[in-house]
Short mmCIF file of all heavy atoms in Angstrom, two decimals:
data_model
loop_
_atom_site.label_atom_id
_atom_site.label_comp_id
_atom_site.label_asym_id
_atom_site.label_seq_id
_atom_site.Cartn_x
_atom_site.Cartn_y
_atom_site.Cartn_z
N TYR A 229 148.35 108.05 148.55
CA TYR A 229 147.51 108.86 147.67
C TYR A 229 146.10 108.98 148.24
O TYR A 229 145.53 108.02 148.75
CB TYR A 229 147.44 108.25 146.27
CG TYR A 229 148.75 108.31 145.54
CD1 TYR A 229 149.72 107.34 145.72
CD2 TYR A 229 149.04 109.38 144.70
CE1 TYR A 229 150.94 107.40 145.07
CE2 TYR A 229 150.27 109.46 144.04
CZ TYR A 229 151.21 108.47 144.23
OH TYR A 229 152.42 108.54 143.58
N SER A 230 145.56 110.17 148.13
CA SER A 230 144.19 110.45 148.53
C SER A 230 143.32 110.48 147.28
O SER A 230 143.66 111.13 146.28
CB SER A 230 144.12 111.80 149.25
OG SER A 230 142.80 112.21 149.43
N PHE A 231 142.20 109.76 147.30
CA PHE A 231 141.32 109.69 146.14
C PHE A 231 140.50 110.97 146.01
O PHE A 231 140.15 111.61 147.00
CB PHE A 231 140.37 108.50 146.24
CG PHE A 231 141.04 107.16 146.15
CD1 PHE A 231 140.35 106.01 146.48
CD2 PHE A 231 142.36 107.04 145.72
CE1 PHE A 231 140.96 104.76 146.40
CE2 PHE A 231 142.98 105.80 145.64
CZ PHE A 231 142.28 104.65 145.99
N ASP A 232 140.18 111.31 144.77
CA ASP A 232 139.28 112.43 144.49
C ASP A 232 137.85 111.99 144.81
O ASP A 232 137.61 110.86 145.21
CB ASP A 232 139.43 112.88 143.04
CG ASP A 232 139.08 114.35 142.85
OD1 ASP A 232 138.44 114.93 143.75
OD2 ASP A 232 139.44 114.92 141.80
N CYS A 233 136.90 112.87 144.59
CA CYS A 233 135.51 112.60 144.97
C CYS A 233 135.00 111.33 144.29
O CYS A 233 134.78 111.30 143.07
CB CYS A 233 134.62 113.78 144.60
SG CYS A 233 132.90 113.56 145.09
N LEU A 234 134.82 110.28 145.06
CA LEU A 234 134.45 108.98 144.51
C LEU A 234 133.04 108.98 143.92
O LEU A 234 132.77 108.32 142.92
CB LEU A 234 134.58 107.90 145.59
CG LEU A 234 136.02 107.59 146.01
CD1 LEU A 234 136.04 106.72 147.26
CD2 LEU A 234 136.78 106.91 144.88
N HIS A 235 132.13 109.71 144.55
CA HIS A 235 130.77 109.77 144.02
C HIS A 235 130.76 110.38 142.62
O HIS A 235 130.13 109.85 141.70
CB HIS A 235 129.88 110.58 144.95
CG HIS A 235 128.49 110.79 144.44
ND1 HIS A 235 127.51 109.83 144.53
CD2 HIS A 235 127.92 111.84 143.79
CE1 HIS A 235 126.39 110.27 143.99
NE2 HIS A 235 126.61 111.49 143.53
N ALA A 236 131.49 111.49 142.46
CA ALA A 236 131.53 112.16 141.16
C ALA A 236 132.23 111.29 140.13
O ALA A 236 131.81 111.21 138.96
CB ALA A 236 132.23 113.51 141.29
N PHE A 237 133.32 110.62 140.55
CA PHE A 237 134.05 109.75 139.62
C PHE A 237 133.17 108.61 139.14
O PHE A 237 133.06 108.37 137.92
CB PHE A 237 135.30 109.19 140.29
CG PHE A 237 135.84 107.96 139.61
CD1 PHE A 237 136.41 108.03 138.35
CD2 PHE A 237 135.75 106.72 140.23
CE1 PHE A 237 136.89 106.89 137.71
CE2 PHE A 237 136.22 105.57 139.61
CZ PHE A 237 136.79 105.66 138.35
N TYR A 238 132.55 107.88 140.05
CA TYR A 238 131.74 106.74 139.64
C TYR A 238 130.52 107.18 138.82
O TYR A 238 130.08 106.46 137.91
CB TYR A 238 131.30 105.93 140.87
CG TYR A 238 132.30 104.87 141.25
CD1 TYR A 238 133.25 105.08 142.24
CD2 TYR A 238 132.32 103.64 140.60
CE1 TYR A 238 134.18 104.11 142.59
CE2 TYR A 238 133.24 102.66 140.93
CZ TYR A 238 134.17 102.90 141.93
OH TYR A 238 135.08 101.93 142.25
N ASP A 239 129.98 108.33 139.13
CA ASP A 239 128.84 108.83 138.36
C ASP A 239 129.25 109.13 136.92
O ASP A 239 128.54 108.80 135.96
CB ASP A 239 128.29 110.09 139.03
CG ASP A 239 126.88 110.42 138.58
OD1 ASP A 239 126.04 109.50 138.51
OD2 ASP A 239 126.61 111.60 138.28
N LYS A 240 130.42 109.73 136.74
CA LYS A 240 130.90 110.04 135.40
C LYS A 240 131.27 108.76 134.66
O LYS A 240 131.01 108.62 133.45
CB LYS A 240 132.12 110.97 135.48
CG LYS A 240 132.55 111.54 134.13
CD LYS A 240 133.59 112.63 134.30
CE LYS A 240 133.96 113.25 132.96
NZ LYS A 240 134.96 114.35 133.12
N TRP A 241 131.87 107.81 135.36
CA TRP A 241 132.22 106.51 134.77
C TRP A 241 130.96 105.81 134.28
O TRP A 241 130.92 105.26 133.18
CB TRP A 241 132.94 105.67 135.82
CG TRP A 241 133.71 104.50 135.29
CD1 TRP A 241 133.90 104.16 133.98
CD2 TRP A 241 134.40 103.51 136.07
NE1 TRP A 241 134.67 103.01 133.90
CE2 TRP A 241 134.99 102.60 135.15
CE3 TRP A 241 134.58 103.31 137.43
CZ2 TRP A 241 135.73 101.49 135.58
CZ3 TRP A 241 135.33 102.22 137.85
CH2 TRP A 241 135.90 101.32 136.94
N LYS A 242 129.92 105.83 135.11
CA LYS A 242 128.65 105.20 134.74
C LYS A 242 128.08 105.84 133.47
O LYS A 242 127.67 105.13 132.53
CB LYS A 242 127.65 105.34 135.89
CG LYS A 242 126.29 104.70 135.61
CD LYS A 242 125.25 105.11 136.63
CE LYS A 242 124.83 106.55 136.41
NZ LYS A 242 123.68 106.95 137.27
N ASP A 243 128.05 107.16 133.43
CA ASP A 243 127.49 107.85 132.26
C ASP A 243 128.26 107.50 131.00
O ASP A 243 127.66 107.33 129.91
CB ASP A 243 127.51 109.37 132.49
CG ASP A 243 126.51 109.82 133.54
OD1 ASP A 243 125.59 109.04 133.86
OD2 ASP A 243 126.66 110.95 134.05
N HIS A 244 129.59 107.39 131.11
CA HIS A 244 130.39 107.06 129.94
C HIS A 244 130.13 105.64 129.46
O HIS A 244 130.04 105.39 128.25
CB HIS A 244 131.87 107.25 130.26
CG HIS A 244 132.77 107.00 129.09
ND1 HIS A 244 133.63 105.93 129.02
CD2 HIS A 244 132.94 107.69 127.93
CE1 HIS A 244 134.29 105.96 127.88
NE2 HIS A 244 133.90 107.02 127.20
N LEU A 245 129.97 104.71 130.39
CA LEU A 245 129.68 103.33 129.99
C LEU A 245 128.31 103.22 129.34
O LEU A 245 128.12 102.46 128.38
CB LEU A 245 129.77 102.41 131.21
CG LEU A 245 131.17 102.20 131.81
CD1 LEU A 245 131.11 101.22 132.96
CD2 LEU A 245 132.14 101.71 130.75
N ILE A 246 127.34 103.97 129.86
CA ILE A 246 126.01 103.98 129.24
C ILE A 246 126.11 104.51 127.81
O ILE A 246 125.48 103.97 126.89
CB ILE A 246 125.03 104.82 130.08
CG1 ILE A 246 124.75 104.12 131.42
CG2 ILE A 246 123.73 105.06 129.33
CD1 ILE A 246 123.92 104.95 132.39
N ALA A 247 126.92 105.55 127.62
CA ALA A 247 127.10 106.12 126.28
C ALA A 247 127.75 105.12 125.33
O ALA A 247 127.53 105.18 124.11
CB ALA A 247 127.94 107.40 126.36
N LYS A 248 128.53 104.17 125.90
CA LYS A 248 129.17 103.15 125.06
C LYS A 248 128.28 101.93 124.84
O LYS A 248 128.70 100.96 124.21
CB LYS A 248 130.49 102.72 125.71
CG LYS A 248 131.55 103.81 125.75
CD LYS A 248 132.84 103.32 126.38
CE LYS A 248 133.59 102.36 125.48
NZ LYS A 248 134.93 102.01 126.00
N GLY A 249 127.07 101.97 125.37
CA GLY A 249 126.12 100.89 125.12
C GLY A 249 125.85 99.96 126.27
O GLY A 249 125.05 99.03 126.15
N VAL A 250 126.50 100.18 127.44
CA VAL A 250 126.27 99.33 128.60
C VAL A 250 124.95 99.73 129.25
O VAL A 250 124.67 100.91 129.47
CB VAL A 250 127.42 99.47 129.62
CG1 VAL A 250 127.11 98.64 130.86
CG2 VAL A 250 128.73 99.04 128.99
N SER A 251 124.11 98.75 129.56
CA SER A 251 122.87 99.00 130.27
C SER A 251 123.14 98.88 131.76
O SER A 251 123.47 97.80 132.26
CB SER A 251 121.79 97.99 129.85
OG SER A 251 120.63 98.12 130.65
N ILE A 252 123.03 100.00 132.48
CA ILE A 252 123.26 100.01 133.92
C ILE A 252 121.93 100.28 134.61
O ILE A 252 121.34 101.36 134.46
CB ILE A 252 124.31 101.06 134.31
CG1 ILE A 252 125.66 100.72 133.66
CG2 ILE A 252 124.46 101.14 135.83
CD1 ILE A 252 126.79 101.68 134.00
N ARG A 253 121.47 99.31 135.36
CA ARG A 253 120.17 99.39 136.02
C ARG A 253 120.39 99.45 137.54
O ARG A 253 120.71 98.44 138.16
CB ARG A 253 119.30 98.20 135.64
CG ARG A 253 118.91 98.21 134.16
CD ARG A 253 118.63 96.83 133.58
NE ARG A 253 117.58 96.11 134.29
CZ ARG A 253 117.17 94.88 133.94
NH1 ARG A 253 117.72 94.26 132.89
NH2 ARG A 253 116.22 94.29 134.61
N THR A 254 120.26 100.64 138.12
CA THR A 254 120.37 100.80 139.56
C THR A 254 119.02 100.50 140.20
O THR A 254 118.02 100.32 139.52
CB THR A 254 120.84 102.22 139.93
OG1 THR A 254 119.96 103.17 139.31
CG2 THR A 254 122.26 102.46 139.42
N ASP A 255 119.00 100.45 141.52
CA ASP A 255 117.79 100.08 142.27
C ASP A 255 117.22 98.77 141.75
O ASP A 255 116.00 98.59 141.65
CB ASP A 255 116.73 101.19 142.17
CG ASP A 255 117.21 102.49 142.79
OD1 ASP A 255 117.63 102.47 143.96
OD2 ASP A 255 117.19 103.53 142.09
N THR A 256 118.13 97.86 141.41
CA THR A 256 117.73 96.57 140.83
C THR A 256 118.53 95.47 141.50
O THR A 256 119.75 95.52 141.54
CB THR A 256 118.00 96.56 139.31
OG1 THR A 256 117.32 97.67 138.69
CG2 THR A 256 117.51 95.26 138.69
N GLU A 257 117.84 94.48 142.03
CA GLU A 257 118.53 93.38 142.70
C GLU A 257 118.14 92.05 142.10
O GLU A 257 117.03 91.87 141.57
CB GLU A 257 118.22 93.38 144.20
CG GLU A 257 116.78 93.12 144.56
CD GLU A 257 116.58 93.06 146.07
OE1 GLU A 257 117.59 93.12 146.80
OE2 GLU A 257 115.42 92.95 146.51
N VAL A 258 119.08 91.10 142.18
CA VAL A 258 118.81 89.75 141.71
C VAL A 258 118.23 88.97 142.89
O VAL A 258 118.89 88.79 143.92
CB VAL A 258 120.11 89.08 141.20
CG1 VAL A 258 119.82 87.64 140.80
CG2 VAL A 258 120.67 89.86 140.02
N CYS A 259 116.99 88.51 142.72
CA CYS A 259 116.34 87.74 143.78
C CYS A 259 116.94 86.35 143.87
O CYS A 259 117.20 85.85 144.97
CB CYS A 259 114.84 87.64 143.52
SG CYS A 259 114.01 89.24 143.39
N SER A 260 117.14 85.73 142.71
CA SER A 260 117.68 84.37 142.70
C SER A 260 118.13 84.00 141.31
O SER A 260 117.75 84.63 140.32
CB SER A 260 116.62 83.37 143.19
OG SER A 260 115.51 83.36 142.31
N VAL A 261 118.95 82.96 141.26
CA VAL A 261 119.34 82.35 139.99
C VAL A 261 118.37 81.21 139.73
O VAL A 261 118.24 80.30 140.55
CB VAL A 261 120.78 81.83 140.03
CG1 VAL A 261 121.13 81.10 138.74
CG2 VAL A 261 121.75 82.99 140.26
N LEU A 262 117.67 81.27 138.62
CA LEU A 262 116.67 80.25 138.30
C LEU A 262 117.29 79.02 137.67
O LEU A 262 116.85 77.88 137.91
CB LEU A 262 115.62 80.84 137.35
CG LEU A 262 114.89 82.10 137.87
CD1 LEU A 262 113.98 82.66 136.79
CD2 LEU A 262 114.12 81.78 139.14
N SER A 263 118.32 79.24 136.86
CA SER A 263 118.98 78.12 136.20
C SER A 263 120.37 78.54 135.76
O SER A 263 120.63 79.72 135.52
CB SER A 263 118.17 77.66 134.97
OG SER A 263 118.09 78.72 134.01
N ARG A 264 121.27 77.54 135.67
CA ARG A 264 122.63 77.78 135.17
C ARG A 264 123.10 76.54 134.44
O ARG A 264 123.12 75.44 135.01
CB ARG A 264 123.60 78.07 136.32
CG ARG A 264 123.52 79.45 136.92
CD ARG A 264 124.70 79.72 137.84
NE ARG A 264 124.85 78.71 138.87
CZ ARG A 264 126.00 78.40 139.47
NH1 ARG A 264 127.12 79.00 139.10
NH2 ARG A 264 126.06 77.48 140.41
#
Side-chain angles (χ1 to χ4, degrees):
Y229 292 85
S230 169
F231 293 167
D232 207 344
C233 183
L234 291 169
H235 176 80
F237 160 69
Y238 271 97
D239 198 45
K240 190 170 183 179
W241 197 5
K242 180 192 73 172
D243 290 342
H244 183 249
L245 292 182
I246 292 174
K248 293 181 72 173
V250 177
S251 173
I252 298 181
R253 294 153 57 180
T254 54
D255 297 306
T256 304
E257 65 177 354
V258 177
C259 302
S260 63
V261 175
L262 303 174
S263 63
R264 284 192 305 154

